[in-house]
Amino acid sequence: MTRDLRLLPVAVGAWGVALICVFVPGTAGWLAGGCLASAVIIGAVLALRRPAAATWSGLMIVVLAAGAAVAFTVLVQSADRDAVREWDGRVVEAVGQVSSSASVGRDGRLWMDVQLSGIGAPGAAGLASGPVRIGIAEAEGFVLGAVVRVTGESVGTDPGERAGLVVFVTVGTVERAAPGVFGIAADLRRSFVERATRLPEPGAGLLPGLAVGDTTAVPAAVDADMRTSGLSHLTAVSGANCAIVVAAVFGIVALCGGARALRVVFAVVALAAFVVLVTPEPSVIRAATMAAAGMLSILVGRPSAGAGILAVCVTALLIVDPWLASTPGFALSAVASGALILLAPALADGIARWLPRPLALAIAVPLAAQLACAPVIALFAEQQSLVSVVANLLAEPAAPLATVIGLLACLAAPVPVVADLLAASAWLPSAWIATVARVTAGLPGAQVLLPAGLGSAAVVTLVSVAIAVVCCRGGPRVREVARTDLVTASVRAGRAWTPGAVLPAARRVAAGVLIVVASVGASRALIDGPLASLVTPHGWAIAACDVGQGDAVLVRSQDAVALIDTGPDPTALDACLRSLSIDHIDLLVLTHFDADHIGGATALEGKVGTVLHGPPADAADARALDGLARAGGALRPVDAGDRGALGGAAWRVLWPLPHSAAFPPGNDASVVTEFVGGGVPRALFLGDLSAAPQRALLRSTPLTGYDVVKVAHHGSADQEPALYDAVQPRVALITVGADNDYGHPRRETLDLLSALGTQVYRTDRDGRTLLGIEDDVLRVWTDVAPP
């Protein structure tokens, strides 16, 4: 089937202008004027030329007009955004209307967007307009449409981000509850979440996400499994959710005998109601628009127009909100929708050469989305799911059931008996999806880690194109050309005919690329798996894992293993553990409960013996501990003076002081531990202590002569030089993410360590770093060779 691609340049042009304008706002005026002037000039030239040039010139005018509209939108909004950004780094009071649903961040806060009506110093908020993003510990009543007043520390955002400021809220109140249908929708969602979470796991916390996009109740372990298995789009109110609603209503009206026009009307009304129920925030409107584009092209009997309709929707969304261009969600929605329209039919035709047509189509849909989205994911994230297609195939039959029945359960909240029955019915497909996510995420090689950026995106693009070429063109069948014709043609050309000559060069190149990639991947899997012990130094006693911007440090003595913090990402932690052939943690030390120190804990489910931890600050910290306890870990709160053994080594807790009011739970109450003996270099692990508690630690405990120190807080500038002068470490470990936003490690800290003659190793440059004692000499092994 021929696809109408004439409008794709319009969407691409609008997207390109939007990216330039939001990342370099000063160019908006120039681009708006330049595009508009160019369109006028081309129009004038076109009026004087023959009609033969009208098609391409007319398209160029449309492209330029769309670009001018996008740039003009940025230009109009830039003044307000710049005024808001001037409050960067201050404690502010902000008043505004909540414009998105809440989502749980890695720091345990609830994050949402607010459209400002005022901002200023506490108690003196003045008029303002612009988007900000707020993070708050408790958010009762903070729902779409509510007017809220918050006070907290503000941080300016980078160019390209929708919000002008991020506010870490310390105090927040609801000035006016959500009005009308938004308030009713919020009550329905709240009631549904409460009803769903009374059901058993797995599946209970996931059900509100599948039905209405509310992910606040999704357990951390399930969330990690959904991301690893490539199923997280099911809980994100994606185009798939919207398409399910549209298809269900369209089908019901059709069964009732409704004409095509009536089916389309009812489907549109149902989609609008669904958007209101799940909160009409920008991401939901975007998903609904994309879904409506694809469904509309099919429902009106013009599937060939799908690409054009999608291009129009993308352009319209970018004109209204140019900052969508820089968001991963928008890119994934647009690319996935385009893949389903353009790539999935070709894949289905190719796969049908090997498999029955219905099965080929079922495989082609998730495969097309995965191939198209993988390069976009590689730009922003380090994880690439290798089980996504299989997981989506298994979950696809259950997703519509969980969505539709869950929606009905949500709407039936005023009739508790019916709502309970429907929620229980929706629980079964939800539990199936959660189980699929857990099983597929646990498969060997379920994910591959690549550094996010253009290089990884280029590699992934090459692999995706190769797979598409092989699948679309591939199969045991050759071209529908008679063998005798081929032989005759070959003889006439003076060469022998071989079947391989039929294969297009592109397919052979693609097959070669896949063979190389598969060989490299298999080799890496062997090195990280069965052969890990052969390529890892046997004498290591301390291992600083490369888990990005976070802490995860292993200590080993006589085959007993301790892990100090888990880093922010379970996948990165699991990769480090597998590379060292570690499948059990005897002692887990949680220095404190920030996400960069406990975010990877889900990788340890069922693998932990004892958990040492400091004081929890709030209910979120307590829930994290409860999760470890349910997974089999024995919880043990500790403070200064506690001690024990790890194999032949002795450990001792040096901080925090018992019942200290001066240093509340958090960075400054980090659990500081010391490990000595049993083949372990004398080591001090400082958590995230700042200078003030470092001074207090130095006063309370004699600290002299350590072989190794884990530098506090990823090498921030907030250090106490006297402590490091007393410790006199031979080696300093800095666990830090490459190109992190905090500027860690800071030059002041590196200069401090250099002045002491300390050898510094950093996970952002040296990768995984191992230390051990061989022949009474401290040895260091790194993944990255020194320059």
Side-chain angles (χ1 to χ4, degrees), residues 261-290:
L262 189 62
R263 298 175 210 170
V264 172
V265 170
F266 272 94
V268 170
V269 171
L271 182 59
F274 176 70
V275 168
V276 171
L277 179 63
V278 301
T279 69
E281 57 186 326
S283 63
V284 175
I285 294 173
R286 176 203 71 220
T289 303
M290 299 294 184

PDB file of all heavy atoms in Angstrom, residues 261-290:
ATOM      1  N   ALA A 261     -20.016   7.099  10.902  1.00  0.00           N
ATOM      2  CA  ALA A 261     -19.947   8.448  11.466  1.00  0.00           C
ATOM      3  C   ALA A 261     -20.295   8.445  12.950  1.00  0.00           C
ATOM      4  O   ALA A 261     -19.649   9.116  13.756  1.00  0.00           O
ATOM      5  CB  ALA A 261     -20.882   9.385  10.699  1.00  0.00           C
ATOM      6  N   LEU A 262     -21.313   7.666  13.323  1.00  0.00           N
ATOM      7  CA  LEU A 262     -21.716   7.604  14.733  1.00  0.00           C
ATOM      8  C   LEU A 262     -20.632   6.936  15.576  1.00  0.00           C
ATOM      9  O   LEU A 262     -20.368   7.351  16.712  1.00  0.00           O
ATOM     10  CB  LEU A 262     -23.027   6.822  14.857  1.00  0.00           C
ATOM     11  CG  LEU A 262     -23.708   6.850  16.234  1.00  0.00           C
ATOM     12  CD1 LEU A 262     -24.090   8.281  16.604  1.00  0.00           C
ATOM     13  CD2 LEU A 262     -24.940   5.947  16.239  1.00  0.00           C
ATOM     14  N   ARG A 263     -19.980   5.916  15.020  1.00  0.00           N
ATOM     15  CA  ARG A 263     -18.887   5.246  15.744  1.00  0.00           C
ATOM     16  C   ARG A 263     -17.747   6.230  16.021  1.00  0.00           C
ATOM     17  O   ARG A 263     -17.178   6.251  17.110  1.00  0.00           O
ATOM     18  CB  ARG A 263     -18.352   4.079  14.919  1.00  0.00           C
ATOM     19  CG  ARG A 263     -19.357   2.991  14.631  1.00  0.00           C
ATOM     20  CD  ARG A 263     -18.746   1.956  13.695  1.00  0.00           C
ATOM     21  NE  ARG A 263     -19.754   1.338  12.853  1.00  0.00           N
ATOM     22  CZ  ARG A 263     -19.477   0.543  11.826  1.00  0.00           C
ATOM     23  NH1 ARG A 263     -18.218   0.272  11.517  1.00  0.00           N
ATOM     24  NH2 ARG A 263     -20.447   0.016  11.108  1.00  0.00           N
ATOM     25  N   VAL A 264     -17.382   7.028  15.001  1.00  0.00           N
ATOM     26  CA  VAL A 264     -16.299   7.999  15.167  1.00  0.00           C
ATOM     27  C   VAL A 264     -16.665   9.029  16.226  1.00  0.00           C
ATOM     28  O   VAL A 264     -15.850   9.374  17.085  1.00  0.00           O
ATOM     29  CB  VAL A 264     -15.985   8.683  13.822  1.00  0.00           C
ATOM     30  CG1 VAL A 264     -15.002   9.831  14.026  1.00  0.00           C
ATOM     31  CG2 VAL A 264     -15.422   7.674  12.832  1.00  0.00           C
ATOM     32  N   VAL A 265     -17.926   9.512  16.214  1.00  0.00           N
ATOM     33  CA  VAL A 265     -18.355  10.519  17.193  1.00  0.00           C
ATOM     34  C   VAL A 265     -18.269   9.962  18.607  1.00  0.00           C
ATOM     35  O   VAL A 265     -17.719  10.596  19.522  1.00  0.00           O
ATOM     36  CB  VAL A 265     -19.790  10.994  16.879  1.00  0.00           C
ATOM     37  CG1 VAL A 265     -20.335  11.842  18.029  1.00  0.00           C
ATOM     38  CG2 VAL A 265     -19.811  11.787  15.585  1.00  0.00           C
ATOM     39  N   PHE A 266     -18.799   8.762  18.816  1.00  0.00           N
ATOM     40  CA  PHE A 266     -18.772   8.170  20.154  1.00  0.00           C
ATOM     41  C   PHE A 266     -17.331   7.885  20.588  1.00  0.00           C
ATOM     42  O   PHE A 266     -16.991   8.049  21.771  1.00  0.00           O
ATOM     43  CB  PHE A 266     -19.593   6.880  20.173  1.00  0.00           C
ATOM     44  CG  PHE A 266     -21.049   7.099  20.487  1.00  0.00           C
ATOM     45  CD1 PHE A 266     -21.966   7.255  19.468  1.00  0.00           C
ATOM     46  CD2 PHE A 266     -21.495   7.168  21.801  1.00  0.00           C
ATOM     47  CE1 PHE A 266     -23.305   7.462  19.743  1.00  0.00           C
ATOM     48  CE2 PHE A 266     -22.832   7.374  22.084  1.00  0.00           C
ATOM     49  CZ  PHE A 266     -23.750   7.537  21.063  1.00  0.00           C
ATOM     50  N   ALA A 267     -16.490   7.454  19.660  1.00  0.00           N
ATOM     51  CA  ALA A 267     -15.095   7.173  20.001  1.00  0.00           C
ATOM     52  C   ALA A 267     -14.371   8.443  20.435  1.00  0.00           C
ATOM     53  O   ALA A 267     -13.601   8.436  21.407  1.00  0.00           O
ATOM     54  CB  ALA A 267     -14.382   6.531  18.817  1.00  0.00           C
ATOM     55  N   VAL A 268     -14.622   9.548  19.732  1.00  0.00           N
ATOM     56  CA  VAL A 268     -13.992  10.820  20.088  1.00  0.00           C
ATOM     57  C   VAL A 268     -14.469  11.297  21.456  1.00  0.00           C
ATOM     58  O   VAL A 268     -13.683  11.768  22.282  1.00  0.00           O
ATOM     59  CB  VAL A 268     -14.281  11.880  19.001  1.00  0.00           C
ATOM     60  CG1 VAL A 268     -13.840  13.260  19.467  1.00  0.00           C
ATOM     61  CG2 VAL A 268     -13.580  11.509  17.703  1.00  0.00           C
ATOM     62  N   VAL A 269     -15.776  11.171  21.723  1.00  0.00           N
ATOM     63  CA  VAL A 269     -16.318  11.574  23.026  1.00  0.00           C
ATOM     64  C   VAL A 269     -15.711  10.728  24.144  1.00  0.00           C
ATOM     65  O   VAL A 269     -15.327  11.238  25.210  1.00  0.00           O
ATOM     66  CB  VAL A 269     -17.855  11.453  23.022  1.00  0.00           C
ATOM     67  CG1 VAL A 269     -18.421  11.658  24.433  1.00  0.00           C
ATOM     68  CG2 VAL A 269     -18.461  12.460  22.057  1.00  0.00           C
ATOM     69  N   ALA A 270     -15.609   9.422  23.917  1.00  0.00           N
ATOM     70  CA  ALA A 270     -15.028   8.541  24.926  1.00  0.00           C
ATOM     71  C   ALA A 270     -13.565   8.880  25.179  1.00  0.00           C
ATOM     72  O   ALA A 270     -13.093   8.869  26.329  1.00  0.00           O
ATOM     73  CB  ALA A 270     -15.161   7.082  24.479  1.00  0.00           C
ATOM     74  N   LEU A 271     -12.844   9.207  24.097  1.00  0.00           N
ATOM     75  CA  LEU A 271     -11.438   9.558  24.261  1.00  0.00           C
ATOM     76  C   LEU A 271     -11.301  10.847  25.066  1.00  0.00           C
ATOM     77  O   LEU A 271     -10.427  10.948  25.938  1.00  0.00           O
ATOM     78  CB  LEU A 271     -10.780   9.713  22.887  1.00  0.00           C
ATOM     79  CG  LEU A 271      -9.287  10.045  22.887  1.00  0.00           C
ATOM     80  CD1 LEU A 271      -8.493   8.970  23.616  1.00  0.00           C
ATOM     81  CD2 LEU A 271      -8.771  10.207  21.460  1.00  0.00           C
ATOM     82  N   ALA A 272     -12.169  11.822  24.810  1.00  0.00           N
ATOM     83  CA  ALA A 272     -12.124  13.076  25.560  1.00  0.00           C
ATOM     84  C   ALA A 272     -12.415  12.827  27.040  1.00  0.00           C
ATOM     85  O   ALA A 272     -11.751  13.388  27.929  1.00  0.00           O
ATOM     86  CB  ALA A 272     -13.130  14.067  24.976  1.00  0.00           C
ATOM     87  N   ALA A 273     -13.410  11.975  27.326  1.00  0.00           N
ATOM     88  CA  ALA A 273     -13.729  11.661  28.722  1.00  0.00           C
ATOM     89  C   ALA A 273     -12.569  10.939  29.399  1.00  0.00           C
ATOM     90  O   ALA A 273     -12.252  11.203  30.571  1.00  0.00           O
ATOM     91  CB  ALA A 273     -14.987  10.802  28.774  1.00  0.00           C
ATOM     92  N   PHE A 274     -11.913  10.048  28.663  1.00  0.00           N
ATOM     93  CA  PHE A 274     -10.760   9.330  29.208  1.00  0.00           C
ATOM     94  C   PHE A 274      -9.628  10.299  29.548  1.00  0.00           C
ATOM     95  O   PHE A 274      -8.983  10.180  30.597  1.00  0.00           O
ATOM     96  CB  PHE A 274     -10.285   8.288  28.198  1.00  0.00           C
ATOM     97  CG  PHE A 274      -9.040   7.554  28.602  1.00  0.00           C
ATOM     98  CD1 PHE A 274      -9.047   6.648  29.646  1.00  0.00           C
ATOM     99  CD2 PHE A 274      -7.839   7.768  27.932  1.00  0.00           C
ATOM    100  CE1 PHE A 274      -7.896   5.968  30.023  1.00  0.00           C
ATOM    101  CE2 PHE A 274      -6.693   7.094  28.289  1.00  0.00           C
ATOM    102  CZ  PHE A 274      -6.725   6.187  29.342  1.00  0.00           C
ATOM    103  N   VAL A 275      -9.391  11.267  28.666  1.00  0.00           N
ATOM    104  CA  VAL A 275      -8.344  12.262  28.907  1.00  0.00           C
ATOM    105  C   VAL A 275      -8.633  13.051  30.172  1.00  0.00           C
ATOM    106  O   VAL A 275      -7.746  13.311  30.990  1.00  0.00           O
ATOM    107  CB  VAL A 275      -8.200  13.196  27.686  1.00  0.00           C
ATOM    108  CG1 VAL A 275      -7.330  14.402  28.024  1.00  0.00           C
ATOM    109  CG2 VAL A 275      -7.589  12.435  26.522  1.00  0.00           C
ATOM    110  N   VAL A 276      -9.887  13.460  30.372  1.00  0.00           N
ATOM    111  CA  VAL A 276     -10.253  14.192  31.595  1.00  0.00           C
ATOM    112  C   VAL A 276     -10.042  13.321  32.830  1.00  0.00           C
ATOM    113  O   VAL A 276      -9.521  13.776  33.852  1.00  0.00           O
ATOM    114  CB  VAL A 276     -11.717  14.676  31.516  1.00  0.00           C
ATOM    115  CG1 VAL A 276     -12.168  15.245  32.863  1.00  0.00           C
ATOM    116  CG2 VAL A 276     -11.866  15.725  30.422  1.00  0.00           C
ATOM    117  N   LEU A 277     -10.428  12.049  32.746  1.00  0.00           N
ATOM    118  CA  LEU A 277     -10.315  11.154  33.898  1.00  0.00           C
ATOM    119  C   LEU A 277      -8.867  10.948  34.314  1.00  0.00           C
ATOM    120  O   LEU A 277      -8.548  10.957  35.511  1.00  0.00           O
ATOM    121  CB  LEU A 277     -10.958   9.805  33.574  1.00  0.00           C
ATOM    122  CG  LEU A 277     -10.895   8.737  34.680  1.00  0.00           C
ATOM    123  CD1 LEU A 277     -11.664   9.208  35.911  1.00  0.00           C
ATOM    124  CD2 LEU A 277     -11.448   7.408  34.180  1.00  0.00           C
ATOM    125  N   VAL A 278      -7.966  10.785  33.346  1.00  0.00           N
ATOM    126  CA  VAL A 278      -6.569  10.504  33.684  1.00  0.00           C
ATOM    127  C   VAL A 278      -5.719  11.765  33.802  1.00  0.00           C
ATOM    128  O   VAL A 278      -4.504  11.665  33.962  1.00  0.00           O
ATOM    129  CB  VAL A 278      -5.930   9.543  32.661  1.00  0.00           C
ATOM    130  CG1 VAL A 278      -6.683   8.243  32.606  1.00  0.00           C
ATOM    131  CG2 VAL A 278      -5.865  10.189  31.278  1.00  0.00           C
ATOM    132  N   THR A 279      -6.349  12.921  33.749  1.00  0.00           N
ATOM    133  CA  THR A 279      -5.756  14.273  33.827  1.00  0.00           C
ATOM    134  C   THR A 279      -5.229  14.720  32.470  1.00  0.00           C
ATOM    135  O   THR A 279      -4.320  14.086  31.922  1.00  0.00           O
ATOM    136  CB  THR A 279      -4.618  14.416  34.858  1.00  0.00           C
ATOM    137  OG1 THR A 279      -3.493  13.696  34.438  1.00  0.00           O
ATOM    138  CG2 THR A 279      -5.059  13.975  36.234  1.00  0.00           C
ATOM    139  N   PRO A 280      -5.809  15.793  31.917  1.00  0.00           N
ATOM    140  CA  PRO A 280      -5.384  16.284  30.595  1.00  0.00           C
ATOM    141  C   PRO A 280      -4.108  17.089  30.650  1.00  0.00           C
ATOM    142  O   PRO A 280      -4.060  18.249  30.282  1.00  0.00           O
ATOM    143  CB  PRO A 280      -6.583  17.151  30.168  1.00  0.00           C
ATOM    144  CG  PRO A 280      -7.168  17.627  31.442  1.00  0.00           C
ATOM    145  CD  PRO A 280      -6.975  16.515  32.433  1.00  0.00           C
ATOM    146  N   GLU A 281      -3.041  16.473  31.133  1.00  0.00           N
ATOM    147  CA  GLU A 281      -1.731  17.119  31.126  1.00  0.00           C
ATOM    148  C   GLU A 281      -1.129  16.999  29.728  1.00  0.00           C
ATOM    149  O   GLU A 281      -1.622  16.228  28.891  1.00  0.00           O
ATOM    150  CB  GLU A 281      -0.825  16.470  32.160  1.00  0.00           C
ATOM    151  CG  GLU A 281      -0.650  14.971  31.964  1.00  0.00           C
ATOM    152  CD  GLU A 281       0.129  14.334  33.099  1.00  0.00           C
ATOM    153  OE1 GLU A 281       1.020  15.003  33.621  1.00  0.00           O
ATOM    154  OE2 GLU A 281      -0.151  13.182  33.440  1.00  0.00           O
ATOM    155  N   PRO A 282      -0.068  17.739  29.448  1.00  0.00           N
ATOM    156  CA  PRO A 282       0.491  17.724  28.087  1.00  0.00           C
ATOM    157  C   PRO A 282       0.830  16.341  27.565  1.00  0.00           C
ATOM    158  O   PRO A 282       0.571  16.037  26.398  1.00  0.00           O
ATOM    159  CB  PRO A 282       1.745  18.598  28.232  1.00  0.00           C
ATOM    160  CG  PRO A 282       1.405  19.552  29.338  1.00  0.00           C
ATOM    161  CD  PRO A 282       0.576  18.761  30.298  1.00  0.00           C
ATOM    162  N   SER A 283       1.405  15.469  28.412  1.00  0.00           N
ATOM    163  CA  SER A 283       1.784  14.147  27.925  1.00  0.00           C
ATOM    164  C   SER A 283       0.567  13.319  27.540  1.00  0.00           C
ATOM    165  O   SER A 283       0.607  12.542  26.583  1.00  0.00           O
ATOM    166  CB  SER A 283       2.603  13.409  28.995  1.00  0.00           C
ATOM    167  OG  SER A 283       1.830  13.200  30.166  1.00  0.00           O
ATOM    168  N   VAL A 284      -0.537  13.471  28.281  1.00  0.00           N
ATOM    169  CA  VAL A 284      -1.751  12.719  27.966  1.00  0.00           C
ATOM    170  C   VAL A 284      -2.390  13.251  26.685  1.00  0.00           C
ATOM    171  O   VAL A 284      -2.829  12.481  25.831  1.00  0.00           O
ATOM    172  CB  VAL A 284      -2.746  12.797  29.147  1.00  0.00           C
ATOM    173  CG1 VAL A 284      -4.068  12.127  28.776  1.00  0.00           C
ATOM    174  CG2 VAL A 284      -2.152  12.141  30.379  1.00  0.00           C
ATOM    175  N   ILE A 285      -2.457  14.582  26.555  1.00  0.00           N
ATOM    176  CA  ILE A 285      -3.018  15.169  25.342  1.00  0.00           C
ATOM    177  C   ILE A 285      -2.195  14.742  24.128  1.00  0.00           C
ATOM    178  O   ILE A 285      -2.730  14.433  23.063  1.00  0.00           O
ATOM    179  CB  ILE A 285      -3.069  16.693  25.467  1.00  0.00           C
ATOM    180  CG1 ILE A 285      -4.057  17.090  26.579  1.00  0.00           C
ATOM    181  CG2 ILE A 285      -3.460  17.340  24.152  1.00  0.00           C
ATOM    182  CD1 ILE A 285      -4.067  18.561  26.895  1.00  0.00           C
ATOM    183  N   ARG A 286      -0.885  14.728  24.305  1.00  0.00           N
ATOM    184  CA  ARG A 286      -0.004  14.275  23.228  1.00  0.00           C
ATOM    185  C   ARG A 286      -0.315  12.832  22.843  1.00  0.00           C
ATOM    186  O   ARG A 286      -0.480  12.507  21.669  1.00  0.00           O
ATOM    187  CB  ARG A 286       1.447  14.384  23.696  1.00  0.00           C
ATOM    188  CG  ARG A 286       2.470  13.855  22.717  1.00  0.00           C
ATOM    189  CD  ARG A 286       3.736  13.494  23.457  1.00  0.00           C
ATOM    190  NE  ARG A 286       3.557  12.312  24.276  1.00  0.00           N
ATOM    191  CZ  ARG A 286       4.055  12.148  25.491  1.00  0.00           C
ATOM    192  NH1 ARG A 286       4.745  13.098  26.058  1.00  0.00           N
ATOM    193  NH2 ARG A 286       3.858  11.021  26.154  1.00  0.00           N
ATOM    194  N   ALA A 287      -0.422  11.953  23.841  1.00  0.00           N
ATOM    195  CA  ALA A 287      -0.697  10.547  23.562  1.00  0.00           C
ATOM    196  C   ALA A 287      -2.058  10.376  22.901  1.00  0.00           C
ATOM    197  O   ALA A 287      -2.213   9.596  21.957  1.00  0.00           O
ATOM    198  CB  ALA A 287      -0.633   9.739  24.860  1.00  0.00           C
ATOM    199  N   ALA A 288      -3.063  11.135  23.390  1.00  0.00           N
ATOM    200  CA  ALA A 288      -4.399  11.034  22.816  1.00  0.00           C
ATOM    201  C   ALA A 288      -4.406  11.516  21.368  1.00  0.00           C
ATOM    202  O   ALA A 288      -5.063  10.929  20.504  1.00  0.00           O
ATOM    203  CB  ALA A 288      -5.380  11.849  23.653  1.00  0.00           C
ATOM    204  N   THR A 289      -3.668  12.570  21.109  1.00  0.00           N
ATOM    205  CA  THR A 289      -3.620  13.105  19.741  1.00  0.00           C
ATOM    206  C   THR A 289      -2.962  12.104  18.798  1.00  0.00           C
ATOM    207  O   THR A 289      -3.441  11.868  17.680  1.00  0.00           O
ATOM    208  CB  THR A 289      -2.846  14.430  19.722  1.00  0.00           C
ATOM    209  OG1 THR A 289      -3.462  15.347  20.640  1.00  0.00           O
ATOM    210  CG2 THR A 289      -2.849  15.030  18.331  1.00  0.00           C
ATOM    211  N   MET A 290      -1.855  11.520  19.253  1.00  0.00           N
ATOM    212  CA  MET A 290      -1.169  10.531  18.418  1.00  0.00           C
ATOM    213  C   MET A 290      -2.061   9.323  18.156  1.00  0.00           C
ATOM    214  O   MET A 290      -2.149   8.813  17.033  1.00  0.00           O
ATOM    215  CB  MET A 290       0.122  10.070  19.109  1.00  0.00           C
ATOM    216  CG  MET A 290       1.132  11.171  19.360  1.00  0.00           C
ATOM    217  SD  MET A 290       1.803  11.847  17.843  1.00  0.00           S
ATOM    218  CE  MET A 290       3.018  12.979  18.521  1.00  0.00           C
TER     219      MET A 290
END
